Amino acid sequence: MPGQLCALHVPPRRTMAVGRFYLFSLVLGTLGALCVLFTVYWVQHWRGGLGWDGTSLMFNWHPVLMVTGMVVLYGAASLVYRLPQSWVGPKLPWKLLHAVLHLAAFILAVLGLVAVFNFHRHNRISNLYSLHSWLGITAVALFACQWLLGFTVFLLPWASLWFRSLLKPIHVFFGAVILSLSMASVLSGINEKLFFSLKNATAPYSSLPPEACFANITGMMVVIFVGIVLYGLLVSSWKRPEAGILTDRQSDWQPAEPSLNP
């Protein structure tokens, strides 16, 4: 697939767009990796590490899996159709990659929910009472509906073109909504965890001890990551051309197939 782009004549302005995209991808990939690494370091260094035994070590899997799945992997999956290799040629491989990455993100999210629900059950803590939990469960529920809709309408061949065109804006809109809800859930979860953990500590949250400062920085990185993903989804020069619209990219390269999936 990369050779397909190389075989085409790429004008200078398009070469610049491709170069900017790969620079964008490098920054985004680095930031996403840092989000995950910072979350792992937080629970390892200050919260005792990871385990699957019903204790707080099991709870620690919750932020790690949610940040990895619902933010970083979800964001990467959302940008599959912005890859320059996806601009031309068959679209099915990119649909499959888009679906598989999102499925992997959903599996991680479910495991994250299992971790926190099992921790609550073992310690007789109520479930779904906080705003954080409402945001998180809403994001995961919408994600399940979104994936099923995308699979049945955009991946399976039964749906007509007009029906896909009708549902595409809804699919795109809720994709951004789910990512934004995930970000809000992560931020409220970090805040909630710090309030609970540092409430009776020698260095309370209000004094901004090192753990609080580190966790706050992690939350800010999540905000920046999500903002960059949403920006990437809005850049028109990185989108696959729509059918029937002669774009700058199409006229310089070749006609594209119908784009009915974001």
Side-chain angles (χ1 to χ4, degrees), residues 167-229:
L167 289 184
K168 179 185 174 183
I170 299 174
H171 190 67
V172 172
F173 171 75
F174 276 102
V177 167
I178 292 166
L179 183 59
S180 300
L181 277 173
S182 299
M183 177 187 70
S185 180
V186 167
L187 298 181
S188 60
I190 291 173
N191 211 31
E192 184 178 285
K193 180 62 177 176
L194 290 174
F195 272 121
F196 287 161
S197 300
L198 302 178
K199 181 169 57 176
N200 297 319
T202 304
Y205 190 14
S206 59
S207 67
L208 198 64
E211 179 184 358
C213 185
F214 187 88
N216 286 351
I217 290 172
T218 303
M220 290 303 300
M221 287 197 301
V222 168
V223 172
I224 296 170
F225 178 88
V226 171
I228 293 176
V229 170

Side-chain angles (χ1 to χ4, degrees), residues 81-100:
Y81 293 104
R82 301 304 183 263
L83 288 168
Q85 291 87 350
S86 72
W87 295 348
V88 294
K91 197 172 184 182
L92 182 59
W94 304 104
K95 287 185 178 183
L96 290 172
L97 179 60
H98 183 71
V100 168

Side-chain angles (χ1 to χ4, degrees), residues 92-120:
L92 182 59
W94 304 104
K95 287 185 178 183
L96 290 172
L97 179 60
H98 183 71
V100 168
L101 288 176
H102 273 307
L103 180 59
F106 181 73
I107 291 172
L108 293 180
V110 170
L111 290 174
L113 291 179
V114 170
V116 71
F117 283 137
N118 279 352
F119 168 74
H120 283 183

Side-chain angles (χ1 to χ4, degrees), residues 127-202:
N127 292 310
L128 301 176
Y129 64 89
S130 65
L131 177 60
H132 161 68
S133 61
W134 288 17
L135 289 170
I137 205 69
T138 300
V140 174
L142 286 176
F143 190 7
C145 296
Q146 173 86 336
W147 193 90
L148 288 173
L149 174 68
F151 180 80
T152 55
V153 174
F154 297 109
L155 193 58
L156 297 182
W158 69 270
S160 62
L161 292 179
W162 73 265
F163 187 60
R164 293 183 182 186
S165 299
L166 179 67
L167 289 184
K168 179 185 174 183
I170 299 174
H171 190 67
V172 172
F173 171 75
F174 276 102
V177 167
I178 292 166
L179 183 59
S180 300
L181 277 173
S182 299
M183 177 187 70
S185 180
V186 167
L187 298 181
S188 60
I190 291 173
N191 211 31
E192 184 178 285
K193 180 62 177 176
L194 290 174
F195 272 121
F196 287 161
S197 300
L198 302 178
K199 181 169 57 176
N200 297 319
T202 304

